[in-house]
């Protein structure tokens, strides 16, 4: 079967051209329709030649001989000027080559000649998403879905439209319901699972998003949109190294992909490798708005003096980047101001967990521990693998003397970071206060093995004073098992 090459682009952060979609052979029914719609002066011989040229184009298309395929499709159009199938195929070739203007023109001609044909409509919608023309894309995709509710490639593109245009929560919920129904059907491609994950992530349900991506990658372990979503989940969870490793796979798969490099830069910056992030972005910051904005944001993150940032904020009072940076750098020096900046940043950019974490950190700094614990507990439900969330929650619970709950968090923290001396110190104290002396002894000893005197001199002294007494209590059989 000849592939009916479909190249609608599914964008979340990275851009990827889809694999050949379906198959198309110009058969008897098409020939009958062609004959019925052909001009009266088109001879039977020209009709047959046009069909033959089109099918020759399909053969060349399948073989990857795109220039030859274009010649055949154009010959078919010369013989029959209003040939929608040929226009569609020409559009798909142009799109695969990155000539979006020519591809759009061809798709629009195909739709003009065959107004209810959903394949070029879906392709046009995807192309408009690629161009960032989300309102226009949404109009095309909605019409397509009205004609064919099972237009599979329409759903990832429509997902991108809804996310980029800030669709209301109820609209996203309705869209998610449709995606969920689709994923219950057989032979659904990975892109639908990736679209579902994108909506779930936007809604803050990282656990559900992770499961959807797991299902997507079971279908296609190299699916670009699914891997791009996995990078976003890792970044949202604070897993910088995991995000970076996956983003590197995307860049290796498509070294020319600007979206993939932007994701990698974000992951590298999150990991503290800011110079690498900057070097990734600088070559194309002049041609990519997204890259330029991220580069500016990264440079903003290096600013530690609140004065210049507050002056900038006077001109841009709702800028989430400025608010987020001020939220962070004023936390210790002016926690009340930090609390305000964090709250405003979170309202301006509600899906960015960093602002909520910053708000919780300011609450901790102000010793408003019950509020901090409540907020961090809610964040943990949606971001169970975020290290900062779990560490701050552990400390809030510790301050509230909820040692049983704090133990759970510190055990998770130390399992993720087994070289983190402070984690074992607090875990040991929790066990000690719960009179679980054997566990306390083990964790105090682990702390002493890891701690350096430069950073933990006072804590080491306290532990060394406590250990002889603790050892005696254990020998006397005191404490709980």
């Amino acid at each position: 079967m000849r592939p009916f090459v479909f190249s609608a682009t599914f964008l979340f952060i990275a851009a990827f051209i889809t694999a050949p979609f379906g198959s198309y052979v110009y058969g008897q029914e098409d020939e009958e329709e062609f004959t019925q719609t052909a001009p009266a002066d088109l001879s039977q011989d020209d009709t047959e030649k046009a069909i033959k040229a089109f099918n020759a184009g399909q053969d060349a298309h399948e073989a990857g001989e795109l220039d030859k395929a274009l010649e055949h499709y154009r010959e078919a159009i010369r013989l029959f000027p209003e040939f929608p199938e040929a226009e569609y195929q020409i559009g798909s070739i142009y799109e695969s080559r990155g000539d979006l203007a020519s591809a759009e023109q061809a798709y629009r001609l195909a739709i003009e000649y065959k107004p209810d044909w959903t394949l070029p409509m879906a392709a046009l919608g995807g192309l408009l998403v690629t161009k960032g023309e989300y309102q226009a894309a949404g109009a095309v995709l909605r019409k397509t879905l009205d004609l064919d509710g099972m237009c599979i490639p329409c759903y990832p593109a429509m997902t991108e439209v809804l996310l980029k245009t800030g669709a209301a929560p109820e609209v996203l919920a309705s869209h998610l319901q449709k995606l969920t129904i689709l994923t219950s059907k057989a032979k659904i491609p990975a892109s639908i699972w990736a679209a579902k994950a994108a909506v779930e992530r936007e809604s803050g349900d990282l656990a559900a998003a992770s499961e959807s991506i797991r299902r997507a990658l079971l279908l296609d372990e190299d699916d670009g949109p699914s891997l791009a979503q996995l990078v976003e989940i890792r970044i949202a969870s604070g897993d910088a190294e995991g995000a970076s490793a996956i983003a590197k796979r995307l860049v290796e798969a498509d070294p020319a992909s600007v979206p993939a490099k932007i994701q990698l830069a974000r992951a590298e910056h999150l990991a503290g490798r800011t110079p690498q992030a900057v070097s990734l972005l600088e070559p194309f910051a002049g041609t990519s708005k997204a890259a330029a904005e991220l580069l500016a944001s990264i440079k903003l993150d290096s600013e530690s003096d609140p004065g210049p940032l507050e002056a900038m904020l006077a001109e841009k009072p709702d800028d989430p980047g400025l608010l987020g940076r001020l939220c962070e750098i004023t936390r210790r020096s002016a926690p009340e101001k930090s609390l305000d900046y964090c709250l405003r940043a979170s309202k301006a950019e509600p899906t960015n967990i960093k602002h909520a974490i910053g708000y919780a950190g300011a609450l901790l700094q102000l010793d408003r521990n019950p509020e901090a614990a409540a907020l961090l507990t809610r964040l943990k439900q949606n971001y169970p693998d975020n290290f900062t969330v779990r560490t701050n929650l552990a400390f809030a619970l510790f301050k509230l003397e909820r040692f049983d709950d704090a133990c759970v968090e510190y055990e998770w923290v130390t399992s993720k970071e087994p070289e983190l001396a402070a984690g074992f110190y607090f875990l040991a104290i929790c066990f000690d206060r719960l009179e679980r002396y054997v566990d306390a002894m083990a964790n105090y000893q682990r702390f002493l093995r890891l701690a350096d005197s430069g950073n933990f001199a006072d804590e080491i002294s306290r532990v060394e004073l406590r250990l002889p007494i603790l050892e005696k209590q254990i020998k006397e059989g005191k404490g709980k098992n």
Side-chain angles (χ1 to χ4, degrees), residues 152-204:
I152 298 301
C154 290
Y155 284 96
M158 180 57 80
T159 300
E160 179 73 359
V161 167
L162 295 176
L163 295 177
K164 289 293 186 182
T165 56
E170 59 269 20
V171 175
L172 287 178
S174 175
H175 187 65
L176 179 58
Q177 186 177 31
K178 293 173 185 175
L179 292 170
T180 302
I181 292 170
L182 282 176
T183 56
S184 69
K185 300 181 182 298
K187 297 183 179 179
I188 288 298
S191 61
I192 298 297
W193 283 103
K196 182 171 179 282
V199 180
E200 290 164 337
R201 182 174 60 79
E202 179 71 13
S203 303

